[in-house]
Amino acid sequence: MSLLSGKPMIDSIKIILRDFSGNFDNCKERKSRKIIENPDEKEYYNYRLPNKTKYDKHSLKVAHAKKTNTVNIIGSLRKRANHKATFNDLTKDKFERTIRNLAKNLNISYGDIRKAEFTQCEIGANINMSYPAKDILHMVVAYSSLWRDDENIDDGTLYFKTKGNPKNESKRAKLYAKDLEIAKNSHWKKREQRDEAFARMRECGNNMLRIEFTLNYHSSFQSHQMGHIETIGDLIDNYYDLYSFWTREVSKFVFFNQLDYSNAKPTPKEKYIISGLEELGFEWFVEEYRDLRSKDKKKPKDIKSARSKAYTSVLKVLDKYYDRNSYNIIDFKKDIEKFLIRKSRSESFNLPLLLGNLWNNSSL
């Protein structure tokens, strides 16, 4: 099992083929309880399309809507190209080969699948970090304007989501310890062996952290400078734009580990923020400080402005007084920089642009 993870970017995706002209000879039909009990209500023919790996097979879900002759394909193209227990991501060339093979398996032309639309697109990478992945999750305290969901953080997974109805969610972020996820989803006969193998890897300094972002709709691409990507063909032709998106979004993570102001002279305002962060933690203090700075404002735009300035003040304190002697945001970005530099030797992306995106302090 190689630790030299591949390149970003595509993982799970939903591909939508309209006016389907192929067949399902290479698929296996999936029975559902509803169809068995109510055969007259059957609206979809459901299939699974397995890959040809010997171990840890991954099947794509295939659903054929009879009335509209539309086919939806859902699953991980990364796992299909490799297998479920893999650290490898998809290169541009491997992504294109996977799409060509998918067209062949469904007995349609490559031109037809290039025209397919898509949604629920996961864009991510596996990074070998210089610090334990699970510990890093506790330091990532904010991302963009999304809500931090740390319910599963002790199991090695951290989410950033939109509050409310999931159907309205345009984007989400997920960070997780990749080795723990592989072991957890392994067959019970392999789980203990993999747990032991991954524990030895971590002892040798191999800490695999996966960082991925899900864009659910085309409007999500439009709002992230990728409105020109509408079809699978566009994804292939503009694959390196996904790297730009990924590095821009990674730069928005906010870190809070330890503060060091022993040799500094914080202002009274900074002292108040430092004290609040250390006593209440990031999330609790930020809300309290936003409320404090906006409580005397009357107009909605003034309230919004005051809350925004309060948040920026907190981020500036984190940026100014982070502990240089413990793992911090700079170390985090250096780990990702090493990953990008290594991958630039085999992929033709614009490395200076990606590094510029990464080191842009866009969380402020």
Side-chain angles (χ1 to χ4, degrees), residues 324-336:
R324 272 70 172 169
N325 296 315
S326 62
Y327 193 85
N328 54 61
I329 186 63
I330 302 301
D331 298 321
F332 177 77
K333 290 186 176 182
K334 283 181 178 178
D335 285 336
I336 295 172

PDB file of all heavy atoms in Angstrom, residues 324-336:
ATOM      1  N   ARG A 324       4.892  29.682  17.680  1.00  0.00           N
ATOM      2  CA  ARG A 324       5.809  29.205  16.635  1.00  0.00           C
ATOM      3  C   ARG A 324       6.462  27.882  16.998  1.00  0.00           C
ATOM      4  O   ARG A 324       7.032  27.211  16.133  1.00  0.00           O
ATOM      5  CB  ARG A 324       6.912  30.233  16.389  1.00  0.00           C
ATOM      6  CG  ARG A 324       6.588  31.307  15.342  1.00  0.00           C
ATOM      7  CD  ARG A 324       5.547  32.282  15.802  1.00  0.00           C
ATOM      8  NE  ARG A 324       5.391  33.412  14.866  1.00  0.00           N
ATOM      9  CZ  ARG A 324       4.411  34.282  14.932  1.00  0.00           C
ATOM     10  NH1 ARG A 324       3.477  34.196  15.878  1.00  0.00           N
ATOM     11  NH2 ARG A 324       4.324  35.273  14.045  1.00  0.00           N
ATOM     12  N   ASN A 325       6.381  27.474  18.260  1.00  0.00           N
ATOM     13  CA  ASN A 325       7.058  26.256  18.707  1.00  0.00           C
ATOM     14  C   ASN A 325       6.146  25.029  18.749  1.00  0.00           C
ATOM     15  O   ASN A 325       6.585  23.952  19.119  1.00  0.00           O
ATOM     16  CB  ASN A 325       7.666  26.480  20.097  1.00  0.00           C
ATOM     17  CG  ASN A 325       8.747  27.539  20.073  1.00  0.00           C
ATOM     18  OD1 ASN A 325       9.603  27.534  19.186  1.00  0.00           O
ATOM     19  ND2 ASN A 325       8.714  28.459  21.026  1.00  0.00           N
ATOM     20  N   SER A 326       4.879  25.202  18.391  1.00  0.00           N
ATOM     21  CA  SER A 326       3.964  24.064  18.297  1.00  0.00           C
ATOM     22  C   SER A 326       3.365  24.049  16.896  1.00  0.00           C
ATOM     23  O   SER A 326       3.455  25.035  16.161  1.00  0.00           O
ATOM     24  CB  SER A 326       2.856  24.161  19.353  1.00  0.00           C
ATOM     25  OG  SER A 326       2.077  25.330  19.148  1.00  0.00           O
ATOM     26  N   TYR A 327       2.764  22.925  16.510  1.00  0.00           N
ATOM     27  CA  TYR A 327       2.213  22.814  15.162  1.00  0.00           C
ATOM     28  C   TYR A 327       1.180  23.912  14.944  1.00  0.00           C
ATOM     29  O   TYR A 327       0.294  24.125  15.770  1.00  0.00           O
ATOM     30  CB  TYR A 327       1.583  21.438  14.955  1.00  0.00           C
ATOM     31  CG  TYR A 327       1.271  21.140  13.503  1.00  0.00           C
ATOM     32  CD1 TYR A 327       2.242  20.610  12.662  1.00  0.00           C
ATOM     33  CD2 TYR A 327       0.011  21.394  12.976  1.00  0.00           C
ATOM     34  CE1 TYR A 327       1.965  20.345  11.326  1.00  0.00           C
ATOM     35  CE2 TYR A 327      -0.280  21.138  11.645  1.00  0.00           C
ATOM     36  CZ  TYR A 327       0.707  20.611  10.822  1.00  0.00           C
ATOM     37  OH  TYR A 327       0.425  20.353   9.497  1.00  0.00           O
ATOM     38  N   ASN A 328       1.289  24.611  13.809  1.00  0.00           N
ATOM     39  CA  ASN A 328       0.452  25.774  13.577  1.00  0.00           C
ATOM     40  C   ASN A 328       0.077  25.876  12.099  1.00  0.00           C
ATOM     41  O   ASN A 328       0.419  25.004  11.289  1.00  0.00           O
ATOM     42  CB  ASN A 328       1.176  27.042  14.048  1.00  0.00           C
ATOM     43  CG  ASN A 328       2.549  27.179  13.414  1.00  0.00           C
ATOM     44  OD1 ASN A 328       2.675  27.272  12.196  1.00  0.00           O
ATOM     45  ND2 ASN A 328       3.609  27.161  14.232  1.00  0.00           N
ATOM     46  N   ILE A 329      -0.605  26.948  11.749  1.00  0.00           N
ATOM     47  CA  ILE A 329      -1.093  27.123  10.384  1.00  0.00           C
ATOM     48  C   ILE A 329       0.046  27.173   9.374  1.00  0.00           C
ATOM     49  O   ILE A 329      -0.099  26.703   8.230  1.00  0.00           O
ATOM     50  CB  ILE A 329      -1.968  28.399  10.282  1.00  0.00           C
ATOM     51  CG1 ILE A 329      -2.613  28.516   8.892  1.00  0.00           C
ATOM     52  CG2 ILE A 329      -1.160  29.641  10.621  1.00  0.00           C
ATOM     53  CD1 ILE A 329      -3.569  27.416   8.540  1.00  0.00           C
ATOM     54  N   ILE A 330       1.186  27.718   9.752  1.00  0.00           N
ATOM     55  CA  ILE A 330       2.332  27.762   8.835  1.00  0.00           C
ATOM     56  C   ILE A 330       2.836  26.348   8.559  1.00  0.00           C
ATOM     57  O   ILE A 330       3.132  25.994   7.409  1.00  0.00           O
ATOM     58  CB  ILE A 330       3.465  28.635   9.417  1.00  0.00           C
ATOM     59  CG1 ILE A 330       2.952  30.056   9.691  1.00  0.00           C
ATOM     60  CG2 ILE A 330       4.654  28.670   8.467  1.00  0.00           C
ATOM     61  CD1 ILE A 330       2.404  30.766   8.470  1.00  0.00           C
ATOM     62  N   ASP A 331       2.938  25.527   9.602  1.00  0.00           N
ATOM     63  CA  ASP A 331       3.357  24.132   9.413  1.00  0.00           C
ATOM     64  C   ASP A 331       2.358  23.387   8.532  1.00  0.00           C
ATOM     65  O   ASP A 331       2.741  22.577   7.679  1.00  0.00           O
ATOM     66  CB  ASP A 331       3.477  23.430  10.773  1.00  0.00           C
ATOM     67  CG  ASP A 331       4.533  24.062  11.657  1.00  0.00           C
ATOM     68  OD1 ASP A 331       5.599  24.446  11.130  1.00  0.00           O
ATOM     69  OD2 ASP A 331       4.292  24.197  12.863  1.00  0.00           O
ATOM     70  N   PHE A 332       1.077  23.652   8.759  1.00  0.00           N
ATOM     71  CA  PHE A 332       0.011  23.028   7.975  1.00  0.00           C
ATOM     72  C   PHE A 332       0.184  23.350   6.489  1.00  0.00           C
ATOM     73  O   PHE A 332       0.140  22.461   5.624  1.00  0.00           O
ATOM     74  CB  PHE A 332      -1.329  23.540   8.506  1.00  0.00           C
ATOM     75  CG  PHE A 332      -2.544  23.051   7.776  1.00  0.00           C
ATOM     76  CD1 PHE A 332      -3.019  21.762   7.978  1.00  0.00           C
ATOM     77  CD2 PHE A 332      -3.235  23.896   6.918  1.00  0.00           C
ATOM     78  CE1 PHE A 332      -4.166  21.322   7.315  1.00  0.00           C
ATOM     79  CE2 PHE A 332      -4.375  23.460   6.257  1.00  0.00           C
ATOM     80  CZ  PHE A 332      -4.844  22.165   6.460  1.00  0.00           C
ATOM     81  N   LYS A 333       0.411  24.615   6.191  1.00  0.00           N
ATOM     82  CA  LYS A 333       0.560  25.017   4.797  1.00  0.00           C
ATOM     83  C   LYS A 333       1.885  24.512   4.205  1.00  0.00           C
ATOM     84  O   LYS A 333       1.953  24.214   3.003  1.00  0.00           O
ATOM     85  CB  LYS A 333       0.454  26.538   4.676  1.00  0.00           C
ATOM     86  CG  LYS A 333      -0.955  27.050   4.930  1.00  0.00           C
ATOM     87  CD  LYS A 333      -1.065  28.544   4.659  1.00  0.00           C
ATOM     88  CE  LYS A 333      -2.507  29.011   4.829  1.00  0.00           C
ATOM     89  NZ  LYS A 333      -2.670  30.452   4.524  1.00  0.00           N
ATOM     90  N   LYS A 334       2.910  24.407   5.023  1.00  0.00           N
ATOM     91  CA  LYS A 334       4.182  23.862   4.533  1.00  0.00           C
ATOM     92  C   LYS A 334       4.017  22.396   4.136  1.00  0.00           C
ATOM     93  O   LYS A 334       4.605  21.945   3.143  1.00  0.00           O
ATOM     94  CB  LYS A 334       5.271  24.005   5.599  1.00  0.00           C
ATOM     95  CG  LYS A 334       5.832  25.410   5.730  1.00  0.00           C
ATOM     96  CD  LYS A 334       6.929  25.472   6.787  1.00  0.00           C
ATOM     97  CE  LYS A 334       7.528  26.875   6.887  1.00  0.00           C
ATOM     98  NZ  LYS A 334       8.570  26.935   7.945  1.00  0.00           N
ATOM     99  N   ASP A 335       3.246  21.648   4.905  1.00  0.00           N
ATOM    100  CA  ASP A 335       2.988  20.249   4.550  1.00  0.00           C
ATOM    101  C   ASP A 335       2.282  20.163   3.198  1.00  0.00           C
ATOM    102  O   ASP A 335       2.606  19.310   2.367  1.00  0.00           O
ATOM    103  CB  ASP A 335       2.123  19.577   5.625  1.00  0.00           C
ATOM    104  CG  ASP A 335       2.903  19.246   6.889  1.00  0.00           C
ATOM    105  OD1 ASP A 335       4.137  19.100   6.803  1.00  0.00           O
ATOM    106  OD2 ASP A 335       2.274  19.129   7.953  1.00  0.00           O
ATOM    107  N   ILE A 336       1.321  21.051   2.974  1.00  0.00           N
ATOM    108  CA  ILE A 336       0.590  21.050   1.714  1.00  0.00           C
ATOM    109  C   ILE A 336       1.485  21.547   0.580  1.00  0.00           C
ATOM    110  O   ILE A 336       1.435  21.039  -0.544  1.00  0.00           O
ATOM    111  CB  ILE A 336      -0.680  21.908   1.838  1.00  0.00           C
ATOM    112  CG1 ILE A 336      -1.629  21.269   2.858  1.00  0.00           C
ATOM    113  CG2 ILE A 336      -1.371  22.073   0.482  1.00  0.00           C
ATOM    114  CD1 ILE A 336      -2.830  22.101   3.215  1.00  0.00           C
TER     115      ILE A 336
END
